[in-house]
Amino acid sequence: MTRFAITLEYDGRPFMGWQHQDHGPSVQQSVERAIKTITRQDIRVFAAGRTDAGVHALGMRAHFDLETRLTPFRLMEGLNAGLRPDPVAVLTCDEVDEEWHARFSCIGRRYVYKIINRRAPLTLDKGQAWRVVRPLDVTAMHQAAQCLVGQHDFTTFRSTQCQAQSPVKTLDSISVSRFGEEIEVEVAARSFLHHQVRSMVGSLALVGEGKWTAQDLQDALEARDRKALGHNAPPDGLYFVEAFYPPSETE
Amino acid sequence: MTRFAITLEYDGRPFMGWQHQDHGPSVQQSVERAIKTITRQDIRVFAAGRTDAGVHALGMRAHFDLETRLTPFRLMEGLNAGLRPDPVAVLTCDEVDEEWHARFSCIGRRYVYKIINRRAPLTLDKGQAWRVVRPLDVTAMHQAAQCLVGQHDFTTFRSTQCQAQSPVKTLDSISVSRFGEEIEVEVAARSFLHHQVRSMVGSLALVGEGKWTAQDLQDALEARDRKALGHNAPPDGLYFVEAFYPPSETE
């Protein structure tokens, strides 16, 4: 039995999210079906993060155990062929130690949230970004966001369906940058609560529009109450970018 | 009667191209239908360039004449509402002089061709870039491309269906740059022959793969023969970026 670690890129639009769902296709199902196509085995795949419906990934990490004589390269090629025409691609595939776990060994996760700040509807970026019509003050957003860094009770920014045991998380960093009409919010933490990134981005947009001050954001955080939430940003703009592991465990 | 100039962004995937076609939807049809929805008038729209099926635009310019009391801003808002759900957006709308013509007043056009240079299939960029698997030498591509700059008979890089009177065109500039796995070929000229950009990019990819030398590209150009063409790049990666007009005529 060999444990394989893979890096996945996917367009979240046609999926109900990473995890198996009764009511629609999932990324997990696509990958497991591709494995079955080439190995005829029913294999379970574990990912670093369980992205929601419509959320994308540029570098999701996942693993699975397989009895095979295929090299990692051949396995990757076979998976990419088997995944067609689903918008899921295997970017890397490596043999890893059997102790290595995509979810439980993961010590850090990085997301990017992409906003297009303009009046006109989206065309090429439809479903791949959140359009915000009112002009956003990116400097105000970036400065206000810094109150979220560190260890906090993030109940305000947590979905009511969140299954985490504790609402206390440590946000390592958050930055807001503008590139023309595109705004990127980049966040990093060991782990996130359900809807945490989208909830933080939605509230930051209120700051950018001038509807909320930095103090309003701080008050919302301290309220530890979902009802204090400004707004939940849509899944369209959210990308799981990178998962981090202790160096010794990755290879 | 007022002449309006608009800037359009569109995702070329669902269209048979800019121009009206009997066998499928066109961008022109979408825009003319949106105008009819808000004005009940059958109006003809003229564009700076007639992009092919699957080719995108970030800043296509177009114009039309309309009897209306709508301000340019209200007209733009109405068009964007009427265009839904087609992936076409009006980015700007202005009144222009009745002499101003989107196609005939245009003195320069800029295109970008986007290549993703990697092994894995495309997911988020599917239909919006050309995936080239073999590693491309961007420096070699850029250097070889310079022989195309200037006035030449571009018969080699011209579609057999091209309706231009002469195959002689002047290429103002061409540059090839890499940003990670993404490669951009940027070209500017007063005007282009049908398939000229895709034909040049296809041949440049052969140079990047090491199958063609810079001399081979030069020989192909000088052959003035379509059969000397290396390869025609697919429409997926092509974007009409900008149209230029004499300053006095734009407003």
Side-chain angles (χ1 to χ4, degrees):
Chain A
M1 204 69 128
T2 308
R3 179 157 292 190
F4 292 95
I6 56 176
T7 307
L8 293 168
E9 180 189 276
Y10 52 84
D11 181 342
R13 281 178 288 186
F15 299 108
M16 302 305 300
W18 164 263
Q19 208 161 19
H20 279 294
Q21 300 287 344
D22 292 334
H23 55 297
S26 65
V27 182
Q28 187 182 17
Q29 188 184 50
S30 279
V31 178
E32 291 175 358
R33 196 166 42 206
I35 295 174
K36 184 155 193 178
T37 303
I38 51 171
T39 69
R40 303 193 176 275
Q41 295 174 58
D42 281 304
I43 300 288
R44 167 90 357 162
V45 177
F46 300 87
R50 287 162 298 177
T51 53
D52 268 336
V55 174
H56 318 290
L58 299 177
M60 175 61 77
R61 295 282 273 159
H63 83 265
F64 53 88
D65 297 319
L66 200 63
E67 200 80 71
T68 181
R69 295 170 66 182
L70 290 171
T71 63
F73 180 78
R74 284 287 148 220
L75 180 59
M76 178 173 74
E77 293 286 282
L79 285 175
N80 278 329
L83 281 162
R84 239 172 269 154
D86 296 347
V88 181
V90 183
L91 305 182
T92 71
C93 179
D94 296 287
E95 280 188 37
V96 286
D97 191 277
E98 62 179 21
E99 301 291 303
W100 193 91
H101 194 290
R103 182 173 168 206
F104 298 121
S105 305
C106 182
I107 54 168
R109 292 159 174 92
R110 189 161 67 89
Y111 283 90
V112 163
Y113 194 97
K114 185 174 165 183
I115 296 170
I116 304 283
N117 191 200
R118 73 177 196 189
R119 186 146 198 102
L122 303 184
T123 67
L124 289 148
D125 289 311
K126 210 173 191 172
Q128 301 189 349
W130 178 31
R131 176 183 63 136
V132 175
V133 171
R134 286 168 189 255
L136 295 175
D137 179 340
V138 168
T139 309
M141 290 168 75
H142 179 77
Q143 282 167 358
Q146 302 316 308
C147 79
L148 303 170
V149 175
Q151 183 177 300
H152 301 285
D153 178 331
F154 282 100
T155 297
T156 303
F157 303 98
R158 178 190 196 182
S159 150
T160 50
Q161 283 140 53
C162 181
Q163 288 166 18
Q165 289 190 325
S166 161
V168 177
K169 292 283 172 189
T170 301
L171 185 68
D172 294 329
S173 66
I174 180 164
S175 67
V176 188
S177 320
R178 179 184 278 279
F179 310 92
E181 67 181 18
E182 185 177 328
I183 293 168
E184 276 188 18
V185 183
E186 196 174 348
V187 293
R190 184 176 186 99
S191 60
F192 292 90
L193 298 167
H194 190 226
H195 283 187
Q196 187 183 342
V197 182
R198 290 167 53 191
S199 298
M200 294 191 303
V201 170
S203 296
L204 281 174
L206 293 179
V207 174
E209 290 177 359
K211 289 183 188 161
W212 269 23
T213 63
Q215 187 60 49
D216 290 333
L217 184 69
Q218 173 108 42
D219 291 347
L221 172 67
E222 285 169 7
R224 298 187 202 94
D225 181 354
R226 184 70 181 164
K227 290 195 286 292
L229 179 70
H231 190 75
N232 209 12
D236 312 54
L238 188 56
Y239 294 77
F240 185 104
V241 175
E242 205 175 355
F244 302 96
Y245 298 88
S248 55
E249 296 188 59
T250 46
E251 312 288 301
Chain B
M1 204 68 129
T2 308
R3 179 157 292 188
F4 292 96
I6 56 175
T7 307
L8 293 168
E9 179 190 276
Y10 52 83
D11 181 343
R13 280 177 289 185
F15 300 107
M16 302 304 300
W18 165 264
Q19 208 160 20
H20 279 295
Q21 300 288 344
D22 293 333
H23 56 296
S26 65
V27 182
Q28 187 182 16
Q29 189 183 50
S30 279
V31 178
E32 291 176 357
R33 196 165 43 207
I35 294 174
K36 184 156 192 178
T37 303
I38 52 171
T39 68
R40 302 194 176 276
Q41 296 173 58
D42 281 305
I43 300 289
R44 167 86 2 157
V45 177
F46 300 86
R50 288 161 298 176
T51 54
D52 269 337
V55 174
H56 318 289
L58 299 177
M60 175 61 76
R61 295 282 273 159
H63 82 265
F64 53 89
D65 296 320
L66 199 63
E67 200 80 71
T68 181
R69 295 171 64 182
L70 289 171
T71 62
F73 180 78
R74 284 288 149 219
L75 180 59
M76 177 173 75
E77 294 286 281
L79 285 175
N80 278 328
L83 281 162
R84 240 172 268 155
D86 296 347
V88 181
V90 182
L91 305 182
T92 71
C93 179
D94 296 286
E95 280 187 39
V96 286
D97 190 277
E98 61 179 21
E99 302 292 302
W100 192 91
H101 194 291
R103 183 173 169 204
F104 298 120
S105 304
C106 182
I107 53 168
R109 291 158 174 93
R110 189 161 67 88
Y111 282 90
V112 163
Y113 194 98
K114 185 174 164 183
I115 296 170
I116 304 283
N117 191 200
R118 72 177 198 190
R119 185 146 199 102
L122 303 184
T123 67
L124 290 148
D125 288 312
K126 210 174 189 171
Q128 301 189 350
W130 178 31
R131 176 183 62 135
V132 175
V133 171
R134 285 168 190 255
L136 295 175
D137 179 341
V138 168
T139 309
M141 290 168 75
H142 179 77
Q143 283 168 357
Q146 302 317 308
C147 80
L148 303 169
V149 174
Q151 183 177 300
H152 300 285
D153 177 332
F154 282 99
T155 297
T156 303
F157 303 98
R158 177 190 198 182
S159 150
T160 51
Q161 283 140 53
C162 181
Q163 289 166 18
Q165 290 190 325
S166 160
V168 177
K169 293 283 173 190
T170 301
L171 185 68
D172 294 329
S173 67
I174 180 164
S175 67
V176 188
S177 320
R178 179 183 279 278
F179 310 92
E181 67 181 18
E182 185 177 329
I183 294 168
E184 275 187 20
V185 183
E186 197 175 348
V187 293
R190 183 175 187 99
S191 61
F192 291 91
L193 298 166
H194 190 226
H195 282 188
Q196 187 183 342
V197 182
R198 290 167 53 191
S199 298
M200 294 190 304
V201 169
S203 296
L204 281 174
L206 293 179
V207 174
E209 290 178 358
K211 289 182 189 161
W212 269 24
T213 63
Q215 187 59 50
D216 290 332
L217 184 68
Q218 173 108 42
D219 291 347
L221 172 67
E222 286 169 6
R224 297 188 202 92
D225 180 355
R226 184 71 181 163
K227 290 196 285 293
L229 179 70
H231 190 75
N232 210 12
D236 312 54
L238 188 56
Y239 296 75
F240 185 103
V241 175
E242 205 174 356
F244 301 96
Y245 298 89
S248 55
E249 295 188 61
T250 45
E251 310 288 302

